[in-house]
Amino acid sequence: MSDMYRDHLLDHIRRPRNHGVIENTNLYRHEANPSCGDVIDVYLRTNADGLIEGASFTGRGCVISQASASIVIEAILGKSKSTVLAMGPKDVVGLLGVEPGPMRMNCALLPLAALHKALC
Amino acid sequence: MGFWEDVKLQFPALHDDRIVYLDSGATTQMPEEILEAISSYERGGRGNPHRGLHDFAARATRFLQESRATVAQFIGAQPSELLFTKGTTEGLNLVAQALGGRLGPGDEVVLTIFEHHAMLLPWRQLASDKGFTLRYLPMSENGVIDLELARKVIGAKTKVVAVIHASNVLGTILPVAELAKLAHAVGAWVVVDVAQSVARLPIDVQTLGCDTMAFGAHKMYGPEGIGALYIAERLRPHLKPLLFGGGMVDEVLDDTIRYADDVRLFEAGSPNVGGAVGFAAACKFLTTLGLERVRERELELTTKLMSDLAQLPRVKIHSSKTALGRVGLVSFSVEGVHSHDVAQILADQGIAVRAGYHCAAPLTRCLDLSGTVRVSLGVYSADHDLDRLVVGIRKVLERFPV
């Protein structure tokens, strides 16, 4: 069985962190993956110093996309905008702890893409 | 060794059984005889058809002409009515650009909810550019098209009726011949996408009553990158080419161009001869098998597939429950599991299916927001493939308990 469905990913599916819409956001982005219909909405609150004070998401999609959203958003809380913008595919794969492979990479990267576009 | 086991043996990609291939609706595998036909053309010396006087050019010209005749015959058309494209999408775009390009406000084009993006998007784009109206025939209570409703929708304003023959999501066979009658009664052109049906049902352009019809070789056990567009003689004067370039003209003078008055007009650029040879070989392969026999076998397997799936808990079948009235292609969802996760866990067990929106977002979205899992059969499919699928789905259910 693929190790793509490790317990820690499934745990983020069962108990997604920072799921929902937080108050007083100043940045928002909707992204979708046309082939499978993965959808993600990210809500961000940044402060005057460019730090991410609050972040949350809502969405619908496969385990990889939704677990990635929960894990990546948990990781960026309190980080600076520039740190998040510097994150790339390798960072996401590192956080997920699994190599999604070429076919699922788009699913894994959808949340980071949404964050990047929200912050730009 | 039974007949169909022998057929499967002709497909080198499926020899070792490491993959249960249930994704023939996406693309089919190629048998030895088609691989051999392509290889034999390429090895024997390539040339650019109609563009040289040497032996290789003459040989390529002959291969191209014979291939065109074979593919045309396969669908009951004349060679002069069949042009080679790079696939179904190109053919449908060519037709939409030419027919839609001259429509405007007040005109209507009728499509169905079943359309693939290859049909839907060119028409949607043109409708927004030109200001004509698209009208969609919805899915009826019994999962097909309500012809009574179609009779009301197709009217004096209708200029084109564009319809998929067999849904790539549900397998549903649409009543193309009946829709064509309604369309022709009001003087509208009929455009048909037979990508999913052409290797599964006997198809004849006269019986379907279409004016133009597009399909691709790679879903017919032939090579990728080549397709065909049938254009009835009566329609050809109304179409114009998508591409301009070499091979499409009779004469180019300083101030005038005299375009070819046959299918060459639509085939600018060096033709894909190897592809055409493989395409023709695919038509011969299917003709030798016999489309009636292919259809009979597919009905048998589809019936088993439906009853297997129906016995699994949490599996919701979106396609209609009977095998009749559809091709061997079934969409389903597993309750509580996204379609991509189902497909991934099946792929991990060596079972190839398709998941997602299937390039038919409007239809798939109304079936299941998570997309659907699609199983599609081919001439190499067997009972034991379906048995392995059932085992595979049980794994999915175990991995994702409710």
Side-chain angles (χ1 to χ4, degrees), chain B residues 115-365:
Chain B
E115 300 318 310
H116 186 279
H117 288 174
M119 183 76 98
L120 182 64
L121 298 191
W123 287 108
R124 277 191 51 173
Q125 187 56 45
L126 275 156
S128 79
D129 290 350
K130 302 285 176 184
F132 60 85
T133 304
L134 299 182
R135 299 192 67 182
Y136 299 94
L137 297 172
M139 201 193 304
S140 63
E141 292 267 308
N142 58 359
V144 202
I145 289 288
D146 183 345
L147 283 171
E148 281 313 306
L149 179 66
R151 217 178 297 274
K152 289 181 196 130
V153 172
I154 297 170
K157 290 179 180 172
T158 309
K159 300 296 181 254
V160 176
V161 173
V163 53
I164 193 166
H165 187 208
S167 162
N168 68 308
V169 178
L170 295 171
T172 320
I173 299 168
L174 300 194
V176 170
E178 288 80 356
L179 291 171
K181 279 196 195 95
L182 296 177
H184 287 151
V186 297
W189 297 111
V190 177
V191 184
V192 183
D193 165 3
V194 293
Q196 287 297 349
S197 53
V198 71
R200 302 172 185 278
L201 301 171
I203 286 193
D204 182 281
V205 290
Q206 311 304 334
T207 315
L208 280 184
C210 57
D211 299 298
T212 177
M213 181 176 107
F215 53 109
H218 78 104
K219 294 191 203 298
M220 306 167 65
Y221 312 96
E224 295 172 327
I226 189 153
L229 180 69
Y230 158 76
I231 301 176
E233 295 283 358
R234 58 186 177 275
L235 175 62
R236 198 170 68 222
H238 301 273
L239 298 186
K240 57 182 191 205
L242 271 187
L243 299 177
F244 289 78
M248 65 183 300
V249 286
D250 285 335
E251 198 172 27
V252 178
L253 301 171
D254 285 347
D255 51 357
T256 50
I257 303 172
R258 208 154 53 77
Y259 288 104
D261 60 358
D262 55 27
V263 286
R264 286 179 301 139
L265 175 63
F266 304 98
E267 293 180 345
S270 298
N272 176 0
V273 185
V277 167
F279 198 169
C283 293
K284 286 179 190 157
F285 171 74
L286 283 166
T287 304
T288 307
L289 281 183
L291 263 301
E292 275 86 7
R293 186 152 55 177
V294 169
R295 173 66 176 154
E296 198 181 308
R297 167 71 169 168
E298 195 175 77
L299 282 174
E300 203 179 285
L301 285 176
T302 309
T303 305
K304 171 176 162 58
L305 173 60
M306 300 303 286
S307 93
D308 287 354
L309 289 177
Q311 279 161 27
L312 288 165
R314 294 165 57 201
V315 170
K316 182 182 175 202
I317 302 170
H318 299 296
S319 303
S320 64
K321 300 292 179 282
T322 59
L324 279 170
R326 32 196 290 264
V327 295
L329 183 157
V330 175
S331 257
F332 64 91
S333 298
V334 178
E335 185 202 336
V337 193
H338 190 277
S339 63
H340 263 198
D341 295 318
V342 177
Q344 181 75 59
I345 292 171
L346 293 176
D348 292 342
Q349 301 170 74
I351 303 163
V353 298
R354 172 85 189 267
Y357 277 12
H358 315 292
C359 299
L363 174 62
T364 315
R365 232 188 343 255

Side-chain angles (χ1 to χ4, degrees), chain A residues 7-22 40-41 55-59 66-75 77:
Chain A
D7 286 344
H8 87 105
L9 291 191
L10 295 178
D11 182 56
H12 277 271
I13 294 300
R14 281 188 284 268
R15 298 185 302 116
R17 290 25 155 205
N18 305 297
H19 188 265
V21 184
I22 51 168
I40 188 109
D41 292 90
S56 73
F57 78 100
T58 57
Q66 301 304 305
S68 173
S70 175
I71 289 169
V72 171
I73 284 185
E74 193 172 42
L77 274 167

Side-chain angles (χ1 to χ4, degrees), chain B residues 87-131:
Chain B
T88 309
T89 301
E90 184 189 335
L92 294 176
N93 270 268
L94 188 153
V95 170
Q97 291 292 342
L99 293 180
R102 64 171 79 98
L103 301 183
D107 293 327
E108 292 182 355
V109 171
V110 176
L111 304 113
T112 76
I113 180 75
F114 294 93
E115 300 318 310
H116 186 279
H117 288 174
M119 183 76 98
L120 182 64
L121 298 191
W123 287 108
R124 277 191 51 173
Q125 187 56 45
L126 275 156
S128 79
D129 290 350
K130 302 285 176 184

